[in-house]
Amino acid sequence: MAGWNSIAAPVFDGDSIVASILLLQPALHMQRAPASCIRATEKAAAALSSA
């Protein structure tokens, strides 16, 4: 969506990924994704790939 940035974020229950959510924030407040969110998404993708 124009004017918004998004981050896919995994939802954990202990060590298990049970869902994912899409976080939206106005581009003025979040000009790029925080590194911690990127790392969490990469970790979730790796966990899902090896399942």
Side-chain angles (χ1 to χ4, degrees), residues 4-48:
W4 290 81
N5 281 333
S6 62
I7 302 170
V11 177
F12 292 93
D13 181 10
D15 289 337
S16 299
I17 300 165
V18 295
S20 65
I21 59 172
L22 183 63
L23 303 173
L24 293 168
Q25 284 202 337
L28 292 173
H29 296 268
M30 182 179 68
Q31 295 183 2
R32 62 177 168 252
S36 60
C37 292
I38 294 170
R39 284 191 302 275
T41 302
E42 291 172 340
K43 182 179 176 181
L48 289 171

